Amino acid sequence: PARRATDAVDAYRNHFIGRVGPAARSVANRQARTSTEEQNLVNIRGPYLQALDIPNWSDESWESFASRVGLNPLIRKAFSDLGFRRLYDFQERSVKAISEGHDTVVTAATGRGKTEAWLLPILDRILQKKRRGETDGTTATLIYPTKALAQDQFKRLVQYLYRINDQWPSNQQITIGIYDGDTPTNVGSKAQGYLQSSFKYFDCPGANDDLEKCRNCGQGVRVHHGGQSYEVRPEKRQCTDDVPLDFIRLTKQAILTEGVDILLTNPDTINMKLVNVNAPDEHETFVYDPEFLVFDEVHTYDGLFGSYTATLTKRLRALRADRDCDPLQVIASSATVDNDVELFRRISGAREVAHVDEQPRTLDRPDATSVPPAFVETTLSESDFLAFARGRRTPPLLKAVEFDVDAEAHDD
């Protein structure tokens, strides 16, 4: 329960920042710098609880589904090792729609696993390309409304990629990197400090409590300065070879020169790359290479921010059309809002959209066939209630009910 409560607070904070924008980021940053309290949110009142619909689980096991739809065995094993036993019904339908090439918007409640719904077919596509020797270029560009959301998702994706790459040849690893205004350009004194702070609370993907060396370790990672580049390594030096993390690209130079399969960024960064016509490497990475364009939390792309992002997408599509690039498959995840499909169309420029929603289960309450006799055979008068409230006597109807209440503590 405590962990779930922490997750709820973090999710609300991310929603608040992503929804309100710069003003919310300013409040959050100021609170983080000045607050000395243990509980540090954003100086706002809740709500911190959210009523979610009942999830509709698939009747098919994860292993069976992954085999039936032809997902790469490495993906099947990696997610099985991470504890996947079944997917939600909407996740299975999302995998099918995206695998069939449809522009897709996935709508589900917070914490339901929308990321996995679109990630699985993208990972499968990347492994298909690598198996055929097509190793150049970015396959998927993931666009987030805020840097904080990108950092949060980055940690999650690294955990998944480590499991897959651990079974894959080292020269065909699925690579990943964040490219935004905070990403260091290349090796430098200030860059390492920023990277160290970014990975300060990063869990080691290879952590295993069954191993003695892991039980005596903080199970974190650190950024190592290797002369011409930075590398992420496990906290313990002896684990470097056992937990290779060289699939993570840490600088802009590394992303552009070495390439990256999955690129995390934001609309502002894409705008800068579209404007800079004298940066062919950046245009390849951001404009011409990607097969997938994913908008996370697309329901936050409203108002001026939504218009701005829609214009960027139109410009990007126009540049690709001039070069006769393959069609761009656009995907989005959205919380449950009324206009999610229309909003996605406007942001992405997609015409035919596959909408995958959660379709939650409903519970049918049992119909009462009879009324307990006590409710029709006994009459309680006003004096009975007053006497009971004052502790003088308990009506027969309530004698079987235990009332453990301290009256003085609730005197008001």
Side-chain angles (χ1 to χ4, degrees):
R3 181 176 61 80
R4 290 184 179 275
T6 302
D7 291 343
V9 171
D10 290 341
Y12 187 84
R13 180 182 186 279
N14 289 337
H15 167 75
F16 172 69
I17 294 175
R19 187 74 175 178
V20 181
R25 289 195 293 273
S26 176
V27 172
N29 292 336
R30 187 164 60 252
Q31 175 73 1
R33 290 194 301 268
T34 59
S35 176
T36 57
E37 299 178 1
E38 182 178 352
Q39 298 297 330
N40 176 15
L41 185 59
V42 283
N43 260 355
I44 59 173
R45 299 172 63 183
Y48 300 127
L49 298 180
Q50 180 181 9
L52 300 180
D53 292 319
I54 302 171
N56 189 9
W57 288 99
S58 169
D59 295 328
E60 189 174 8
S61 71
W62 155 247
E63 292 272 356
S64 174
F65 169 76
S67 299
R68 179 169 59 82
V69 299
L71 291 178
N72 191 288
L74 296 183
I75 298 175
R76 185 171 69 243
K77 183 179 186 305
F79 282 82
S80 294
D81 292 344
L82 287 166
F84 279 58
R85 296 297 175 262
R86 281 189 299 165
L87 296 180
Y88 290 127
D89 172 69
F90 85 90
Q91 290 176 318
E92 291 189 348
R93 288 184 283 117
S94 299
V95 170
K96 294 177 183 176
I98 295 170
S99 298
E100 292 171 358
H102 300 296
D103 292 333
T104 306
V105 57
V106 182
T107 304
T110 302
R112 282 286 196 260
K114 295 186 290 292
T115 297
E116 289 75 14
W118 53 255
L119 178 64
L120 290 169
I122 289 178
L123 291 176
D124 188 62
R125 173 60 179 157
I126 293 173
L127 291 178
Q128 287 178 16
K129 291 175 61 178
K130 290 185 177 294
R131 191 165 47 198
R132 294 197 300 262
E134 303 172 15
T135 57
D136 294 334
T138 302
T139 299
T141 298
L142 316 183
I143 302 177
Y144 296 88
T146 67
K147 296 176 184 176
L149 284 174
Q151 289 284 353
D152 184 64
Q153 284 279 45
F154 178 73
K155 296 176 183 178
R156 187 173 174 183
L157 296 178
V158 165
Q159 299 290 332
Y160 293 153
L161 295 187
Y162 170 76
R163 298 280 180 169
I164 296 174
N165 288 334
D166 190 44
Q167 313 167 63
W168 197 244
S170 59
N171 62 342
Q172 296 185 21
Q173 303 277 286
I174 300 178
T175 54
I176 187 171
I178 295 182
Y179 196 121
D180 58 30
D182 293 337
T183 306
T185 301
N186 47 38
V187 175
S189 57
K190 295 182 179 180
Q192 187 167 4
Y194 165 76
L195 293 173
Q196 291 286 17
S197 64
S198 298
F199 285 89
K200 184 176 181 180
Y201 301 106
F202 203 98
D203 294 329
C204 176
N208 185 349
D209 290 332
D210 293 334
L211 300 177
E212 179 66 28
K213 62 181 179 181
C214 290
R215 289 197 291 268
N216 299 322
C217 175
Q219 298 187 0
V221 299
R222 59 186 177 84
V223 177
H224 176 73
H225 188 180
Q228 299 299 319
S229 64
Y230 292 119
E231 299 174 358
V232 180
R233 294 181 179 178
E235 189 173 302
K236 281 190 174 182
R237 186 183 298 271
Q238 69 191 77
C239 299
T240 300
D241 293 335
D242 297 332
V243 186
L245 300 174
D246 52 352
F247 60 90
I248 302 174
R249 303 287 184 257
L250 299 177
T251 65
K252 295 177 180 178
Q253 183 180 23
I255 290 173
L256 296 175
T257 58
E258 299 175 29
V260 68
D261 295 304
I262 300 176
L263 179 67
L264 288 73
T265 188
N266 55 63
D268 288 334
T269 302
I270 292 179
N271 180 51
M272 291 293 294
K273 302 311 144 190
L274 293 178
V275 169
N276 188 1
V277 296
N278 297 317
D281 291 341
E282 295 177 350
H283 272 219
E284 293 293 335
T285 300
F286 283 89
V287 179
Y288 302 118
D289 286 343
E291 296 182 28
F292 298 95
L293 195 64
V294 181
F295 292 94
D296 191 49
E297 304 291 344
V298 75
H299 60 278
T300 65
Y301 289 74
D302 54 4
L304 183 60
F305 182 53
S307 300
Y308 167 72
T309 306
T311 302
L312 290 179
T313 308
K314 289 179 182 178
R315 292 164 57 197
L316 190 147
R317 285 183 179 276
L319 288 172
R320 290 175 62 92
D322 287 342
R323 192 186 277 199
D324 293 328
C325 295
D326 292 333
L328 187 67
Q329 186 173 354
V330 190
I331 304 164
S333 66
S334 172
T336 306
V337 294
D338 292 336
N339 64 336
D340 47 4
V341 176
E342 179 60 26
L343 184 60
F344 174 63
R345 282 198 178 100
R346 292 177 180 272
I347 296 299
S348 66
R351 296 179 181 178
E352 299 295 329
V353 176
H355 181 212
V356 180
D357 58 1
E358 198 168 1
Q359 298 179 1
R361 289 191 298 126
T362 57
L363 295 181
D364 296 326
R365 63 179 183 181
D367 295 328
T369 57
S370 63
V371 179
F375 284 95
V376 295
E377 297 175 355
T378 306
T379 300
L380 296 178
S381 65
E382 181 179 348
S383 60
D384 289 330
F385 282 111
L386 291 174
F388 171 67
R390 292 166 180 163
R392 294 175 183 172
R393 69 174 184 272
T394 301
L397 179 62
L398 303 177
K399 283 187 178 297
V401 181
E402 188 174 322
F403 296 92
D404 186 13
V405 177
D406 184 352
E408 292 184 0
H410 297 80
D411 188 51
D412 59 349

